[in-house]
Amino acid sequence: MKRHYYALVGMFLLAFIIIGCTNSNASKKKEGGILGVADIQSDPSGVKGTVVVTGVVSRVSEKDKQVFAIIDSDEAKHCQSVGCAKFYLPVYFNGPMPKIWDEVNATGQIVDKGGLMFQASKVDVLRHITVK
């Protein structure tokens, strides 16, 4: 009987560990419920609803003045370049454009506009990062 009890307890512990380590949006959210660009990279279509994403502006579209791209803040700071990212998140925003190297909090949702992009309803500039 003790063997079955220990097996049952072990299974419950294993279940809690697996559930705690899964990659859901809730587990990806940073302090304050904010996602980084790297958190979205693996599955942009899996991000549902309105979220806040932090990133560094890497480029502003010359064709469409309402589109810019952001990269993960840690990646930009580490490599000291906005051109070295593994993933660029396109952001559509009908408002004043931030500048390249501005770290921003973009509030909005992932939409399909001939490809996935982040449609921002609000963009707050946190700071301008200066490269050494």
Side-chain angles (χ1 to χ4, degrees), residues 56-60 69 82 97-103 128-129:
V56 174
V57 177
S58 62
R59 55 182 85 138
V60 177
V82 291
M97 285 292 110
K99 296 177 177 70
I100 294 176
W101 280 106
D102 279 350
E103 186 172 24
H128 185 79
I129 299 172

Side-chain angles (χ1 to χ4, degrees), residues 11-74:
M11 286 175 43
F12 276 118
L13 287 174
L14 183 60
F16 283 122
I17 291 170
I18 290 171
I19 291 169
C21 293
T22 57
N23 264 350
S24 68
N25 285 340
S27 66
K28 289 181 185 178
K29 288 189 178 183
K30 296 181 179 179
E31 186 176 321
I34 299 173
L35 296 170
V37 174
D39 298 325
I40 294 175
Q41 177 178 349
S42 63
D43 186 19
S45 61
V47 177
K48 304 294 183 201
T50 301
V51 296
V52 179
V53 180
T54 294
V56 174
V57 177
S58 62
R59 55 182 85 138
V60 177
S61 174
E62 292 181 16
K63 285 184 182 179
D64 188 344
K65 298 295 182 186
Q66 296 176 320
V67 177
F68 61 96
I70 58 176
I71 62 175
D72 192 71
S73 298
D74 292 337

Side-chain angles (χ1 to χ4, degrees), residues 102-116:
D102 279 350
E103 186 172 24
V104 299
N105 272 354
T107 304
Q109 57 190 341
I110 300 288
V111 296
D112 190 351
K113 288 191 171 209
L116 293 178

Side-chain angles (χ1 to χ4, degrees), residues 49-50 69 87 89 127:
T50 301
F87 177 75
L89 180 64
R127 69 189 66 79

